[in-house]
Amino acid sequence: KYDEIFHLNYFISVVDDVNWSWRSEKAKELFARRFRGEALALRAYHNFMILQHHAGLGANDQMLGIPLVDQVLNSEDNWELPRSTFQESIDFIYNDIDHALQLLPETWQDFADPDSLRVYGTQNINRIDGKILKALRTRVALLDASPAYNSGEYDLNKSAKAAELTAPLLVEIGGASGLPSGGLKFYDKDNDINNAEILWRSRFFESRELEQDNFPPSLFGRGRVNPTQNLVDAFPMANGYPISAVESGYDPENPYEGRDPRLTEYVVFNGNELKGDSILTGVDGGKDGLNNTIESTRTGYYLKKLLRTDVNVTPGQMNRRRHFKTYVRFTELFLNYAEMANEAWGPDADPNGYGFTARDIIAAIRERAGIDPSDPYLASITNQQEMRELIRNERRIELSFEGFRFWDLRRWDAPISIPATGVRIINNSNYEEFEVERRAYEPFMIYGPIPQQETIRYTGLIQNKGY
C-alpha cells in the first residue's frame, strides 16, 4: 500500500503543473482540481487499509497507528518514519477526506457546459466521487469508535459521530423504508448502472471463474469455499428467534426446516438446490459428500452466495456471465448506522430527527430477508446489549463472504480463536457436529503485526505488543 501512497504523493506534487487539456484554461483547471481530489481520496483509502491491518497496542503500551507520509521522499530523505498514534492516523485520513470532498462532485453528472461535461460527466461513473467518499468515511468512523481502539469499549462520542456521518446517506434514499429491495441477491442478475443497492463497484466483466471455483463437484466445480456450521447456526428461524431460543421451534433432527430464507439463498446445505439439482453433502452423498473427494466439502456445506446460477461450467457447455466486484453497497451503510446509533443512543432513540432508529434499520433488513414481519424476537429486545448482539449477527449474515467478518471481530475485540466446525450427516438423518479446523490466535492477535522485515529495516518502528 505504501507503493500506492508514494505514487499518489508524487502525483499530488505535480498535478497543478500538467496541462491536462489544450481545449481551454477552464478545462485544464477543472481536470487538475478533480485529479487532486481523486488522489487525496485514494490516499485516504489506502491509509485506512494499512491502519485496519496494522494499528494496535504497541510494545510501548500506546495505541499506535501507522507512519504517515504526505510528501515525496527522495533517496536523501529520512525514510525511518515512526508510527503515529492511532488518533493521529485517523485524523490524517479524515483530513484527506475533507479536502477531497471540497474538490470532487457529489456524483458524476452530465452538464450543458462542454468543459464541465468532459471533466465531471457520467462517463466517470464508478470512479470515486463525493458520495462514495462519504461512504468510505463511515468505515473510518466505525473503526475509530470500536472497542479494540478504545480500551475495550465503544467510544460514545465517536459512535455518535459515526452515526451522524452515515445518516445523511440513508436519509437521501428514504431512510429505513429506502433499504434497496434487491440487496439480498445483489449479485445474481445482469445489474445495470442504476442498481440501487450498489454505491461503488468495479466495471462489469464476463467470467465463470467464481462459479468454477465454488460450485460443488457434481456441477463440475472445485468446491473451494465451505461455509462453517458456526455460520449456519447464526441464521435464525423464519419467526426471527435464534435457534438456541425455546420459542424458535428449531428441530435438530431437521435443522434446515423453517429457517431464515437467507440460509437457503447463501449456503448449499444437504438437500438444498443449486441450478435445479439437489446437492447431497452427507457422507453417503457421492462426490458432493463430506470429504469424499479432494474437491468435496470439508464442512458439510458449499457456498451459494455471490454465485450466478445461470453460469454453466460443465465441459462442452461452458458459458460466461456478467460479474462485478462490489466495493460499497447500501446494506453495509445501514448496518454501520444501526451499530453506531445503538452504541451512541440505544435501540430506539433518534435525537437528531432522522426518522429512523437502530431498531427500525434492523427491522427493515430482517423483513427484506423474509423474517416474519411481526418479528417477535426483535420486539422482545429491550436493551442496548441485546440489540448489539443482534446487529452483529445481522452483519455477519448480510455481509457474509464479502470480506468483513475477520475485521469486524478484530475491531470488536471479540474472540478470534473459536474453532471452525462442520456437520457430518449419516443416512440423511444423523447430524453430528465436529471440529474442522482450530483457529490458532492468541488474544493479542486482534491487532495485526508490523511485518518483520520492516522492523528490521527501520529499527525505530515499534512492533505491536505480543509479536
Side-chain angles (χ1 to χ4, degrees), residues 54 56-62 64-65 81-83 449-450 455 458-465:
H54 301 294
L57 188 65
N60 61 354
D61 288 320
Q62 292 184 359
L64 297 178
L81 299 175
R83 293 175 67 184
I450 306 302
T455 61
Y458 305 117
T459 56
L461 204 57
I462 298 173
Q463 180 60 277
N464 283 335
K465 199 168 186 177

Side-chain angles (χ1 to χ4, degrees), residues 97 101 106 129-138 165 169:
I97 290 174
L101 285 171
E106 179 75 1
D129 59 22
K131 184 175 289 188
I132 291 170
L133 193 52
K134 289 176 181 178
L136 292 175
R137 185 173 60 181
T138 73
L165 289 173
L169 294 166

Side-chain angles (χ1 to χ4, degrees), residues 2 16 20-21 35 52 76 82 93 108 119 126 129 173 210 216 224 235 262 356 365 370 380 422 452:
Y2 275 109
D16 292 329
W20 297 105
S21 176
F35 291 153
Q52 179 177 249
E76 66 275 11
I93 295 170
W108 305 110
V119 179
N126 286 314
D129 59 22
I173 64 170
L210 190 65
R224 287 184 171 172
F235 288 82
R262 289 173 293 189
F356 47 86
I365 289 173
S380 73
Q452 184 180 17

Side-chain angles (χ1 to χ4, degrees), residues 271-299:
N272 194 7
E273 288 191 357
L274 184 62
K275 291 178 63 65
D277 291 346
S278 179
I279 307 300
L280 300 179
T281 65
V283 295
D284 50 356
K287 63 175 63 176
D288 292 337
L290 182 72
N291 291 323
N292 281 348
T293 75
I294 194 171
E295 294 177 336
S296 300
T297 175
R298 295 177 61 207
T299 65

Side-chain angles (χ1 to χ4, degrees), residues 9 27 51-52 63 92 118 162 176 191 193 250 284 304 367 377 389 393 408 412 437:
N9 284 339
L51 188 67
Q52 179 177 249
M63 188 58 66
F92 184 92
R118 290 187 67 208
N191 291 283
I193 61 173
Y250 174 69
D284 50 356
K304 193 173 186 181
E367 184 173 354
Y377 179 69
E389 292 174 4
N393 197 66
D408 283 342
W412 292 332
E437 184 176 288

Side-chain angles (χ1 to χ4, degrees), residues 321-336:
R321 289 290 183 264
R322 192 164 72 172
H323 291 73
F324 59 93
K325 294 181 180 179
T326 304
Y327 303 136
V328 181
R329 62 188 186 97
F330 271 102
T331 297
E332 177 201 344
L333 302 183
F334 277 90
L335 288 162
N336 289 354

Side-chain angles (χ1 to χ4, degrees), residues 19-33:
N19 188 354
W20 297 105
S21 176
W22 297 100
R23 295 187 59 168
S24 71
E25 189 67 22
K26 179 182 178 181
K28 172 186 172 181
E29 293 175 357
L30 289 177
F31 271 122
R33 177 183 176 87

